[in-house]
Amino acid sequence: MFKHAVIPFLVGASLLASAPFAQAANNLVYCSEGSPAGFDPGQYTTGTDFDASAETIYNRLTQFERGGTKVEPGLATRWDISPDNLTYTFYLRDGVKFHTTPYFKPTREFNADDVLFTFNRMLDKDMPFRKAYPTEFPYFTDMGMDKNIAKVEKLDDKTVKFTLNTVDAAFIQNMAMHFASIESAEYVDKLLKEGKPSDINQKPIGTGPYVFQRYQKDSNIRYAANKDYWKPDQVKLDNLIFSINTDASARMQKLRKNECQVSLNPRPADVASLKADPKLQVIEKPGFNLGYIAYNVQHKPFDQLQVRQALDMAVNKDAILKAVYQGAGQKAVNAMPPTQWSYDETITDAAYNPEKAKELLKAAGVKEGTEITLWAMPVQRPYNPNAKLMAEMLQSDWDKIGLKVKIVSYEWGEYIKRTKNGEHDVSLIGWTGDNGDPDNWLGTLYSCDAIGGNNYSMWCDPQYDTLIKNAKAVTDRDQRTVLYKQAQQLLKQQVPITPIAHSMVNQPLSAKVQGFTVSPFGRNAFSGVSLDD
């Protein structure tokens, strides 16, 4: 079962504790919503972690176009796919340099050895670096890539071949995802020789637009421009600073005072006033996301379908939409958003019916007054603007059917770690799609492989798993759609989750910010971003 590494972040703790952030035109401050758990993208699954690492410090072989879902070349300039769709040959970009920092100075440019290290450490638990720094790679394993990649071969310094065991229709999209960020093999060799392998997660080295400088947990992260970036026109800031603020009101206050120039996740009630402020701009887009309730089926009494059905039909979604999302949410009935291709529009919710829910609990042998824990996120996420309020409303809903609900919360990194470990009874969680493929929802969130990763329900259904694996193994979209719709119907019947809402994303930023695009995947990237004097 996946466990997060414990990381003592002490880098630069005293250097920025009291210093105000500089406001020169070429310095941009981003008010982020939480502290990253680390800076090694392969180890994590949340947007908070990816914004702080994969989007700033790293690149991947393929990448998504800015603000879109189309895949384009990244550290690979092109690729060939064999007729049987089992072999992918990537041709690597020349002239790409890894970051130079006080703790590492590269002696060579990016090449095939870096690709081999990046993927082999996720594939091979016996490789020296993995044994010296034993971590897990939840996204990689949730998607079954550890089982499906048969081998990664270096054909020459600029050519790498991946061989798969079975067809993966989304393989090129998967290679653009953040967990596939390319590490420096030369740097990790240095760390191994020094006996400091965990520094890969504290002192990162990549090829991306910004170079990591220092981090003070719960306060700030500092980056400098990568003057040697292989896309020089995309680095328009001298310094990028993440100012970490878990409170939405505090973030908006800083934005209004120009103490930061980009923020995220405003409270729905604040959006109108932000739009009316002439010094600000608000980018609004439908969210490619889902906020939901996950029932831990490995805890009693949630192993019983009747119990999950009872809790599901006792949720007053309309009231939650009104109070929590305040007009910026669409009611969810399915396990992924309606903008995702293969979405089954025939799926409907069970009617809101507390009385029937009581009967189901009684039939399942659940006594009145039974205590359960409901875990609520401590931070705002695009898919849930106020988890605390949602938890309180669910507490009231489930009190009406005879359950005593205790609300539990932890710091965000701890919350994710503990829910992945299955410590909760019921948790509030959600997802923003990462690659535009249905498997990123139906496989990544609800498959057997994803238990211990992003499957917070700990639910494993062999029939469901067969459907999604068969769907991933064919390339014809119509065939895949038929299988994915069958999987959605089965998941709805088994109720491992209660879908709540798909939210509208509002991204507030200074009117001076130029070139910022809202990612459909809920990421915040600053390549190509500048400040107007």
Side-chain angles (χ1 to χ4, degrees), residues 351-394:
Y352 173 61
N353 192 334
E355 290 306 314
K356 186 176 179 183
K358 277 188 192 176
E359 294 171 11
L360 286 172
L361 287 180
K362 187 176 181 181
V366 178
K367 295 179 181 178
E368 190 163 342
T370 294
E371 293 185 1
I372 65 171
T373 61
L374 170 62
W375 290 35
M377 297 173 294
V379 297
Q380 275 189 304
R381 303 301 298 147
Y383 47 74
N384 190 334
N386 193 337
K388 182 175 182 291
L389 176 58
M390 186 184 291
E392 289 167 352
M393 296 182 75
L394 290 171

Side-chain angles (χ1 to χ4, degrees), residues 82 217 412 478:
S82 63
K217 188 175 181 182
W412 181 229
D478 289 340

Side-chain angles (χ1 to χ4, degrees), residues 327-345:
Q330 172 189 355
K331 187 190 293 186
V333 299
N334 202 345
M336 58 187 189
T339 47
Q340 174 64 66
W341 65 266
S342 82
Y343 180 90
D344 190 339
E345 296 180 353

Side-chain angles (χ1 to χ4, degrees), residues 46-225:
T46 77
T48 303
D49 300 309
F50 291 149
D51 284 352
S53 60
E55 288 289 359
T56 49
I57 300 165
Y58 292 96
N59 295 119
R60 291 146 292 284
L61 294 178
T62 64
Q63 62 189 30
F64 295 107
E65 65 180 355
R66 292 181 69 232
T69 60
K70 181 183 175 184
V71 175
E72 59 187 21
L75 293 180
T77 57
R78 62 188 177 91
W79 49 87
D80 294 331
I81 306 173
S82 63
D84 63 1
N85 291 291
L86 291 176
T87 303
Y88 290 75
T89 305
F90 292 91
Y91 301 92
L92 307 183
R93 190 176 297 277
D94 285 321
V96 177
K97 296 180 181 180
F98 280 98
H99 298 159
T100 295
T101 70
Y103 50 88
F104 178 68
K105 291 179 173 55
T107 64
R108 63 164 177 81
E109 294 180 344
F110 157 72
N111 67 27
D113 292 333
D114 305 307
V115 179
L116 261 64
F117 168 77
T118 297
F119 288 93
N120 282 334
R121 76 168 177 147
M122 295 192 280
L123 288 166
D124 182 6
K125 292 185 178 182
D126 292 324
M127 74 172 299
F129 191 85
R130 180 84 173 267
K131 291 180 84 170
Y133 181 43
T135 56
E136 299 298 327
F137 302 96
Y139 221 139
F140 188 72
T141 53
D142 284 1
M143 300 179 76
M145 294 184 77
D146 58 325
K147 296 181 178 71
N148 198 32
I149 297 176
K151 56 184 174 179
V152 187
E153 299 172 272
K154 173 183 174 179
L155 303 187
D156 58 46
D157 270 356
K158 293 296 177 183
T159 315
V160 176
K161 183 170 78 172
F162 286 75
T163 303
L164 308 185
N165 290 314
T166 58
V167 174
D168 180 352
F171 187 72
I172 290 297
Q173 289 98 313
N174 295 346
M175 298 300 276
M177 292 169 64
H178 295 98
F179 71 86
S181 295
I182 302 299
E183 303 277 3
S184 164
E186 184 183 16
Y187 177 52
V188 300
D189 283 345
K190 174 179 180 286
L191 295 180
L192 203 53
K193 287 172 186 173
E194 293 173 351
K196 299 177 180 178
S198 63
D199 276 5
I200 194 175
N201 200 22
Q202 302 176 49
K203 298 178 179 179
I205 292 290
T207 60
Y210 293 95
V211 181
F212 176 81
Q213 290 189 302
R214 52 190 180 263
Y215 171 43
Q216 182 179 354
K217 188 175 181 182
D218 298 331
S219 177
N220 59 75
I221 316 168
R222 287 204 172 223
Y223 309 87

